[in-house]
Amino acid sequence: MNDLIYNAKNLSKSFGAISVLRDLNFAAARNKTHVIIGRSGSGKSTLLSLLAGLDRPTSGAIEFDGAALETRCNEELAQLRRQKIGIIFQSFNLLPSWTAVENVEAVLMHSDIAPDARRKKAVALLSELGLGERLNNLPAELSVGQQQRVAVARTLVNDPKVILADEPTGDVDPELGLEVIKRLVACVKNNGTTLIIATHGLFPLEYADKVWELKDGKLQ
Amino acid sequence: MQTDIWTCALRELSRRKVRTAATVLGYALAAGIAIVALSLLVAARNKQNRVLLNTGTHFMAWTPVSLNCAPQNPALDPVNEGFLANNVPTVLFYASVTNKVVAERNCVKAASPYLLFRFKDPKDGHLFTVGGFDPRDIQVVGNTCCAKADLVAGKFLEPTSSGQVLLEHGYAQGRKLQVGQTATIAGKEFTIAGIVNPGVRPAKADVYMLFQDAEAAINTRLKKPLRNEANVLLVHAASSVVHDKAIEKTLKLLDGAVTESCACYKPGSIVTSYACYKPAAQVLGMNEGTLKLVALILGLGALVFAGKSQMASVIERRRDIGVLKAIGWTNQHITFQVLTESTIQAVIGSAFGCIGAFFCVSVLPKACLFGISLTLIGGLCSGFVPAFRATRQNPADTLRRL
């Protein structure tokens, strides 16, 4: 098996006349924590979108788990995200009309897992994250920290091969941010997951296996 | 997958109560309007048809003599005497055509040959018209010339009333004639059996008698005797609905029955009395058309309202759809969910519309079926557009704009 979970070559992404990524090369080893730092607007979120298959590069190639990513159709990419990729958004992006447990369960919907089994899995994960009493609360009824934990649970519930986290600590206090990072890093160690974090803030480097800086559309 | 879609659709609808209620209301209005309008239309048409079908209409058909054309069988005194209808000289046709006209059962209820001739009284020179009819065809005769109900005095003519006449009320008064007296016509005395006041019937005459009596009296005033001929055909259409068809058929048949001796006759010159059923039918049709138009506008308006509400609900959830796509939901999942939501709302809306319609009018089952079908189709169409838009949505773009 290839050691690299991601291998992106000559990746470019432009929005009209604005070139965000320029001939970027990125290789991410499995079971490691990769941190991409860069200023706001440097293209971190764009890079994660490309890695998640949410967007397509203007040019270049992305290999994920040994297979080309950019040539797959939308349905295949959706299936890949459902099965192998977990995403944590900067503002959590929880579904406002769905309860905490339903938000976590959403990832397992349209899969072969029986409704009862996936409910149990979601409940177990949320309980583990200290939200056992908040299962049926809507996101608006949860604190920011609790919302973030629901977002983490949603990311982990399908046992992804890779977790893409876009500013996971951006909207919470440093203490809570550190707790989230610890949990994600633990996931890397315990479950053999690869973690790719994009952040513009300070990151406790002791948790990172590799740190990249995104500048002028290229990783350094 | 189906269970998940139902679960999620019901969850979305139950948690966005105002939006759902607005959309359901739109569908309910659309279904209700469609059901009420169709029920009213069908009921109105049924009643209209019942009235029209039971309202036999009548007319008379004749062929005027062309200008500068000598009558085919001129009277002895052609200046004063002759065949006429509506005060116009007419040509003759074979009375046997009546059987052919009557055979058109789908549009003709009855038909009868009629002789209408103007005589000049040799004693005082006054002119009067004689109508000869067959009292066995009382239905058509009654509607076009005179009926038993028109009797002012005496009795009506029977098939056995040879030698008897009926006098028109005004004529009898003018001539100071009464029931039981005699009237001399073409040199022969007839007993006055009755006096009638037929009003404005198209084949009105001053004197009425049996067809064969009229034929015999007229023959005395012609150069050649009649050969089972008549100059007017009285027709009773099967119903108002087929009145036009009855006229058309009669004209066609009568065209081929005009006596050969008429050299001036040009095919297609037969005329009929005024089709008075038309204005009523047109008014009824106009009302029906207006109701249809109003129902269509209101129904479409309600459907558009529901569709817009459905569209707005998808636009409102643009971010949610982007998130669902990001966590692995496919376009198919999203499409099915939006369509399921739309269908559920349309079903509930049409059910409410149906119930509401029951309170307004006597709902016909087929109107109900139509309303429900229309709403469901509308619901699917309304759902399809936002579903399609949702699938076109790029999750990265959506999330980037948040």
Side-chain angles (χ1 to χ4, degrees), chain A residues 76-104:
Chain A
E76 286 174 334
L77 289 172
Q79 195 180 0
L80 197 71
R81 286 195 294 274
R82 196 163 67 242
Q83 292 172 348
K84 296 185 175 177
I85 300 173
I87 305 171
I88 299 180
F89 304 96
Q90 183 174 0
S91 46
F92 321 135
N93 282 343
L94 298 178
L95 302 169
S97 57
W98 294 29
T99 63
V101 72
E102 287 165 353
N103 262 286
V104 176

Side-chain angles (χ1 to χ4, degrees), chain B residues 243-360:
Chain B
H243 186 102
D244 280 339
K245 199 174 172 189
I247 289 177
E248 189 188 325
K249 292 278 181 188
T250 302
L251 294 185
K252 206 170 182 180
L253 290 168
L254 215 54
D255 234 2
V258 170
T259 309
E260 290 168 11
S261 56
C262 178
C264 295
Y265 177 69
K266 287 178 186 165
S269 56
I270 292 165
V271 294
T272 61
S273 52
Y274 177 59
C276 57
Y277 76 100
K278 275 191 171 173
Q282 277 168 352
V283 168
L284 287 168
M286 244 160 42
N287 287 342
E288 190 180 304
T290 310
L291 185 58
K292 270 183 191 168
L293 186 69
V294 170
L296 188 72
I297 291 169
L298 288 176
L300 281 178
L303 265 186
V304 168
F305 170 74
K308 276 193 73 117
S309 182
Q310 186 76 46
M311 178 79 84
S313 112
V314 171
I315 292 168
E316 205 175 69
R317 285 154 52 202
R318 198 164 164 267
R319 169 188 166 277
D320 295 4
I321 289 168
V323 172
L324 287 172
K325 282 184 159 189
I327 63 173
W329 284 38
T330 61
N331 283 337
Q332 196 189 5
H333 299 142
I334 306 281
T335 305
F336 276 125
Q337 173 155 347
V338 173
L339 285 178
T340 305
E341 285 173 25
S342 176
T343 308
I344 290 171
Q345 291 175 109
V347 168
I348 297 170
S350 61
F352 277 124
C354 229
I355 293 165
F358 268 106
F359 285 105
C360 298

Side-chain angles (χ1 to χ4, degrees), chain B residues 78-284:
Chain B
V79 175
N80 296 303
E81 296 179 322
F83 293 100
L84 72 150
N86 270 12
N87 290 322
V88 176
T90 62
V91 300
L92 293 166
F93 59 84
Y94 291 114
S96 55
V97 73
T98 310
N99 296 330
K100 290 180 185 173
V101 173
V102 172
E104 297 291 340
R105 292 183 192 283
N106 57 344
C107 58
V108 174
K109 195 179 267 179
S112 188
Y114 185 62
L115 284 167
L116 192 55
F117 193 87
R118 188 171 62 202
F119 286 88
K120 182 181 179 186
D121 190 325
K123 284 183 184 169
D124 58 12
H126 87 273
L127 300 175
F128 62 97
T129 51
V130 168
F133 63 79
D134 185 345
R136 288 172 302 180
D137 300 327
I138 192 62
Q139 194 177 25
V140 60
V141 169
N143 281 320
T144 48
C145 314
C146 60
K148 268 186 185 174
D150 302 331
L151 271 175
V152 175
K155 60 176 186 173
F156 203 74
L157 295 181
E158 301 292 334
T160 53
S161 304
S162 184
Q164 297 178 14
V165 292
L166 296 172
L167 297 188
E168 196 274 330
H169 190 219
Y171 180 76
Q173 279 195 330
R175 304 300 301 171
K176 296 189 173 22
L177 293 169
Q178 291 177 348
V179 173
Q181 293 181 325
T182 56
T184 305
I185 298 162
K188 188 184 174 187
E189 288 202 336
F190 289 86
T191 307
I192 301 168
I195 293 172
V196 291
N197 186 0
V200 289
R201 294 217 166 81
K204 197 175 170 180
D206 297 318
V207 180
Y208 299 99
M209 61 178 68
L210 298 186
F211 188 89
Q212 60 271 30
D213 283 353
E215 194 175 34
I218 293 165
N219 278 342
T220 64
R221 303 301 305 154
L222 296 177
K223 288 182 179 171
K224 291 183 288 181
L226 292 167
R227 297 166 300 164
N228 192 26
E229 292 164 298
N231 67 323
V232 174
L233 188 67
L234 310 176
V235 184
H236 189 83
S239 75
S240 303
V241 178
V242 291
H243 186 102
D244 280 339
K245 199 174 172 189
I247 289 177
E248 189 188 325
K249 292 278 181 188
T250 302
L251 294 185
K252 206 170 182 180
L253 290 168
L254 215 54
D255 234 2
V258 170
T259 309
E260 290 168 11
S261 56
C262 178
C264 295
Y265 177 69
K266 287 178 186 165
S269 56
I270 292 165
V271 294
T272 61
S273 52
Y274 177 59
C276 57
Y277 76 100
K278 275 191 171 173
Q282 277 168 352
V283 168
L284 287 168

Side-chain angles (χ1 to χ4, degrees), chain A residues 15 49 54-55 74-75 78 81-82 87 89 93-99 102 106-107 109-110 118 154, chain B residues 1 4-5 8 11-12 15-16 319-320 323-326 328-331 333 394 396 399-400 402:
Chain A
F15 297 99
S49 285
L54 293 172
D55 210 348
N74 287 338
E75 303 295 297
R81 286 195 294 274
R82 196 163 67 242
I87 305 171
F89 304 96
N93 282 343
L94 298 178
L95 302 169
S97 57
W98 294 29
T99 63
E102 287 165 353
V107 182
M109 281 184 151
H110 308 304
R118 70 184 182 219
R154 187 174 66 181
Chain B
M1 182 177 116
D4 288 340
I5 284 171
C8 294
R11 181 185 297 163
E12 282 298 336
R15 292 186 188 164
R16 294 173 192 268
R319 169 188 166 277
D320 295 4
V323 172
L324 287 172
K325 282 184 159 189
W329 284 38
T330 61
N331 283 337
H333 299 142
N394 181 342
L399 297 172
R400 194 179 296 123
L402 292 173

Side-chain angles (χ1 to χ4, degrees), chain A residues 20-33:
Chain A
V20 179
L21 304 178
R22 298 185 197 100
D23 283 333
L24 176 147
N25 292 305
F26 173 69
R30 292 174 192 274
N31 312 333
K32 302 284 182 196
T33 299

